[in-house]
Amino acid sequence: RKEVEQDPGPFNVPEGATVAFNCTYSNSASQSFFWYRQDCRKEPKLLMSVYSSGNEDGRFTAQLNRASQYISLLIRDSKLSDSATYLCVVIKPPGGYQKVTFGTGTKLQVIP
Amino acid sequence: EAQVTQNPRYLITVTGKKLTVTCSQNMNHEYMSWYRQDPGLGLRQIYYSMNVEVTDKGDVPEGYKVSRKEKRNFPLILESPSPNQTSLYFCASRTGSNYGYTFGSGTRLTVV
């Protein structure tokens, strides 16, 4: 089983739609979680951290479910500019170097 | 401006000709890392560094070397590049175990 798994998509959604992505992780002791956004041929950029209690940043909501070992990203009122690949990131527990593992990404295409 | 700078952005080289990709960060981050990104495989870690003179192998270190003589710089060295090292390379840095990475703009390397 992969350490971090994401549905590659693509998710094709109309403007204004709500879309959600999930990301599962295998190590139950994983410590920190993030969502990144990557535009085609560009560097990944940090979108938001994921906190245990869930957190929101404008149209974006991130949640963590430790019992089922997944994190989610919800995008409300999708914009054309949201079209990108979304990467989930998991940091393993302490003890020396905390390894950072990236999912392979979920591609989102918002259609006019 | 806080950033990670890597050079060159594009490089075409021939098999066996040694090359170095430079990476520099101005945020005084302890952790630095090199990733390669290939279609369908996502971001894979090549080498990482926890601080000056502290480096270790990631998931795909074969054919690569790194050094960390100063905190801000973390060059990636390909002693004898081969065509299977054709890829998009990213350097990244972060400040601590619970923080996400900041990425450089990427280096697109083609080995012919």
Side-chain angles (χ1 to χ4, degrees):
Chain A
R1 182 184 173 185
K2 285 185 181 178
E3 293 181 59
V4 178
E5 291 197 73
Q6 292 184 253
D7 182 340
F11 283 52
N12 297 313
V13 302
E15 267 187 294
T18 295
V19 61
F21 311 131
N22 280 347
C23 168
T24 59
Y25 59 95
S26 60
N27 190 326
S28 60
S30 294
Q31 182 183 28
S32 305
F33 308 88
F34 303 89
W35 282 102
Y36 276 72
R37 170 199 170 119
Q38 185 175 24
D39 294 293
C40 188
R41 296 174 180 266
K42 296 281 184 72
E43 74 273 24
K45 292 187 177 177
L46 181 63
L47 182 64
M48 57 198 303
S49 303
V50 185
Y51 301 124
S52 297
S53 54
N55 48 297
E56 192 174 300
D57 183 0
R59 298 181 292 109
F60 298 83
T61 300
Q63 291 195 312
L64 167 63
N65 185 318
R66 285 195 182 272
S68 300
Q69 294 180 212
Y70 73 86
I71 62 173
S72 64
L73 177 67
L74 182 80
I75 306 175
R76 290 180 299 278
D77 188 22
S78 299
K79 313 288 185 192
L80 295 176
S81 57
D82 294 333
S83 297
T85 297
Y86 291 84
L87 309 172
C88 67
V89 178
V90 174
I91 298 184
K92 280 188 176 176
Y97 177 70
Q98 288 86 26
K99 187 180 176 189
V100 179
T101 302
F102 287 80
T104 52
T106 297
K107 187 171 183 178
L108 172 66
Q109 185 70 46
V110 181
I111 304 162
Chain B
E1 181 190 351
Q3 60 185 358
V4 178
T5 303
Q6 55 180 112
N7 282 296
R9 292 291 307 276
Y10 301 92
L11 179 60
I12 300 175
T13 190
V14 297
T15 299
K17 186 176 180 183
K18 181 179 178 180
L19 66 91
T20 299
V21 184
T22 63
C23 174
S24 181
Q25 51 94 3
N26 62 1
M27 297 167 280
N28 202 37
H29 285 172
E30 291 83 14
Y31 297 88
M32 296 188 74
S33 188
W34 276 101
Y35 287 87
R36 61 177 289 175
Q37 188 172 38
D38 303 288
L41 297 176
L43 284 157
R44 294 181 292 168
Q45 192 177 50
I46 302 170
Y47 268 94
Y48 63 89
S49 171
M50 294 173 70
N51 215 322
V52 176
E53 302 292 1
V54 182
T55 64
D56 208 345
K57 297 176 181 179
D59 298 315
V60 288
E62 293 78 21
Y64 305 94
K65 285 174 59 177
V66 293
S67 67
R68 187 95 181 271
K69 295 188 172 67
E70 308 160 280
K71 198 171 188 179
R72 63 182 293 127
N73 295 325
F74 191 45
L76 179 69
I77 303 155
L78 285 72
E79 294 271 4
S80 182
S82 62
N84 65 11
Q85 292 178 299
T86 292
S87 187
L88 177 58
Y89 291 86
F90 289 106
C91 179
S93 71
R94 63 187 175 113
T95 188
S97 58
N98 291 323
Y99 293 84
Y101 272 116
T102 299
F103 283 82
S105 300
T107 296
R108 188 164 291 278
L109 172 66
T110 301
V111 184
V112 298

